[in-house]
Amino acid sequence: MAPNARLDHRNPLVFDTHELGRRPGALQRLTREIDAPKDLGIQGVIGVPEGAPVELELRLESVMEGVLVTGTARAQAKGECVRCLEPLELALEADFQEMFSYPDADDRGRVKAEPADDAEEDEDRLFIEDGLFDLEPVLRDAVVLALPMQPVCQDDCLGLCSECGARLTDDPDHHHDAVDIRWAALQGLAGSLGDGEKDEMSGADAEAGVDEKQEK
C-alpha cells in the first residue's frame, strides 16, 4: 500500500515510531487494548464483534529499510456452528509480522535518489508516514487467517436432522422410520389393487343379489 492520506495519531491502531529514531537494531515493546473495528473476521461466518476488546502485544524493531513489527492479537470471536447453527464463542490468538518501509528508502535501506515510478512494486508494501504506521490492514489479515473457515461448536457435533431439523447432539438416538422408496411404490400399487378388488367384490355381490331376485 503506497503512502496516501496522513495518518491520525489518535487512531488506536496507528503507532508512532519516532522513539526508534531510525537506528537499526533499536527495539520497542508495546501493549495496547483497543476496541475491535467493524467487520473484523470472516463476514457472515465468525469474527470479533465491533467494539469488543482486543489485546495487542507488539515488538517494533528498527531495520535499514523501515520498522519490522511482530505481534500477537487476542480477543473473543463469535459466530455460529456450521453444522447445528448454534451460537459459539472461541478464544482468538492471531500472530503476525510485517515490514513497514520508509517511503524514501529502497529495499536495501538506502535513500532513493528519486521517488519510485513503479506503482506495482509498491502496491503490496506498507509504509511509515511521518513516523506513523497503521496496523489495521495487518490485524485484519492475521485475524482472518487465525479463524476457522467452518467453525463448529464441538469437534463431534452431529449437526441437524435433515427431516425435522432437530439437533442430533442433544439426542444421538433420534431417527425417523424410513421406507425404501422402491417398497413404497409397491405398497401404493398393492393399495390400489386392493381397492380394485373391493370394487369387484362389491359389484359381484350386487349382481348376485339381482340374480337371486330374478330366480324368485
Side-chain angles (χ1 to χ4, degrees):
M1 182 176 65
N4 43 34
R6 290 181 179 275
L7 297 177
D8 185 353
H9 69 278
R10 295 169 296 182
N11 184 331
L13 283 169
V14 170
F15 292 82
D16 193 331
T17 67
H18 285 100
E19 186 175 322
L20 296 175
R22 295 189 71 160
R23 301 186 307 273
L27 293 175
Q28 184 179 7
R29 296 183 185 276
L30 300 171
T31 59
R32 182 178 296 183
E33 186 175 291
I34 66 163
D35 293 337
K38 184 179 180 181
D39 298 329
L40 182 60
I42 306 171
Q43 291 191 29
V45 180
I46 189 171
V48 181
E50 183 178 3
V54 179
E55 180 185 339
L56 298 173
E57 291 184 4
L58 303 179
R59 179 179 184 269
L60 281 54
E61 180 180 1
S62 178
V63 295
M64 290 293 293
E65 63 268 32
V67 175
L68 180 64
V69 179
T70 305
T72 301
R74 297 183 179 88
Q76 291 294 118
K78 295 184 178 181
E80 68 176 26
C81 177
V82 296
R83 297 178 187 170
C84 69
L85 307 182
E86 286 292 310
L88 62 83
E89 185 172 343
L90 59 82
L92 167 71
E93 183 169 308
D95 297 321
F96 52 86
Q97 185 174 73
E98 189 66 47
M99 171 65 71
F100 289 86
S101 302
Y102 296 124
D104 60 351
D106 62 15
D107 291 338
R108 296 183 181 181
R110 297 176 299 192
V111 176
K112 298 177 182 178
E114 296 179 359
D117 294 327
D118 191 348
E120 293 183 1
E121 181 181 344
D122 291 341
E123 184 178 355
D124 296 327
R125 297 175 65 186
L126 298 175
F127 289 90
I128 295 172
E129 304 174 26
D130 297 326
L132 306 174
F133 68 85
D134 185 2
L135 189 66
E136 183 169 343
V138 177
L139 176 63
R140 288 188 177 280
D141 289 346
V143 167
V144 168
L145 291 174
L147 288 171
M149 294 296 294
Q150 295 187 317
V152 291
C153 59
Q154 56 191 61
D155 291 340
D156 58 350
C157 176
L158 299 176
L160 301 176
C161 173
S162 60
E163 294 192 34
C164 69
R167 189 167 183 262
L168 298 178
T169 302
D170 296 334
D171 183 11
D173 296 327
H174 176 86
H175 70 281
H176 295 269
D177 293 331
V179 177
D180 191 307
I181 57 173
R182 295 169 296 182
W183 291 111
L186 291 176
Q187 288 178 352
L189 179 61
S192 63
L193 290 175
D195 293 340
E197 291 173 353
K198 290 178 182 178
D199 293 340
E200 290 177 0
M201 290 177 65
S202 298
D205 291 341
E207 291 178 358
V210 171
D211 292 340
E212 290 177 358
K213 290 180 180 180
Q214 290 177 347
E215 288 177 358
K216 291 178 180 178

